[in-house]
Amino acid sequence: MFDGHVALVTGGTRGIGSAITTMLAKSGARVAAGYSRGKDAAEALQGRLSDQGAQVSIHQGRVDRPEDCQRVVDEVMQQFGRIDFLVNNAGITVDKTVRKMTFEDWRNVLDVNLFGAFAMTKAVLEHMIERGSGRIVNISSVIGETGNVGQANYAASKAGLFGLTKSLALEMARRGITVNVVAPGFIETEMVAAMPQAVLDSVVAQIPQRRLGRPDEVARVVQFLLEDESSYITGAAYTINGGLDM
Ligand code: NDP
């Protein structure tokens, strides 16, 4: 399906990003997966997929540092010669109520989740414009729509991705580049595993389907948005949340 295409997936070596990398690689794309600190997980994923005949490269770099974003994009261009798809998936949480949240807690989360998507987009955008085609998918969250106790920084960053997506979609609408946002609900990854069990139990009790989502259930929506046939979908938001927010 994606033979000849190149995808760059930030945070592409663990959790939801790993599922996206895997699905795209199995669909024939060459995939560059970014990571920040988890070298072992990155190498393990690359090894697994390479053994299956996929072409996957891994790139260390912090999305909240524009110089890292540019270096990663340069590495991918050197390795694969083009970038068709950018998936801005890297994200973190630092959960505290606003009363306890420090300025640093706020900035760290906004820097990775929102500024990081902006910085990585800037690093690939001119290349996509030159080629007159590209696909950008930003991974937001249901929390960006609903807010959540203890997640003001995270909710603000994820809400910001809706604004970034829609503005960029407008700016790129006549340049062959689509920009969409995917907002998962609660998905089984290490990020969710870090939540206290009692909180998790109460979250699941509020999900109409009474279960967490799986990373591959998010990946398949991303894959759909990247397909050639999805070229008329831009500025759109897709939710995947078991009915949590309708
Ligand atoms: P994980 O914590 O499992 O993985 C996060 C990924 O982001 C890792 O690959 C990590 O790299 C990378 N990352 C973190 N900080 C940086 C940074 N500064 N620069 C570059 N990469 C970085 O998260 P999930 O898979 O759960 O989440 C993926 C995305 O989906 C996030 O944006 C998250 O907000 C969003 N999301 C998740 C939901 C969930 O329920 N899990 C629900 C809704 C949205 P490293 O391995 O090196 O640490």
Side-chain angles (χ1 to χ4, degrees), residues 18 45 53 57 59 66 80-81 119 133 172 212 225 246:
S18 160
L45 179 70
S57 61
H59 305 266
F80 294 133
S133 77
M172 294 298 125
L212 299 175
L225 290 169
M246 300 185 186

Side-chain angles (χ1 to χ4, degrees), residues 25-38:
K26 288 188 172 167
S27 299
R30 291 171 286 169
V31 188
Y35 68 96
S36 168
R37 286 178 301 181

Side-chain angles (χ1 to χ4, degrees), residues 10-17 34-39 41 61-64 88-93 112-113 139-142 154 158 183-192:
T10 69
T13 58
R14 286 201 291 122
I16 292 170
Y35 68 96
S36 168
R37 286 178 301 181
K39 190 168 185 224
R62 288 179 52 164
V63 293
D64 48 316
N88 283 312
N89 165 78
I92 59 168
T93 51
V112 175
N113 297 4
I139 307 298
S140 176
S141 165
V142 66
Y154 185 76
K158 294 299 183 179
F186 289 83
I187 310 296
E188 280 171 3
T189 69
E190 285 171 38
M191 185 179 272
V192 162

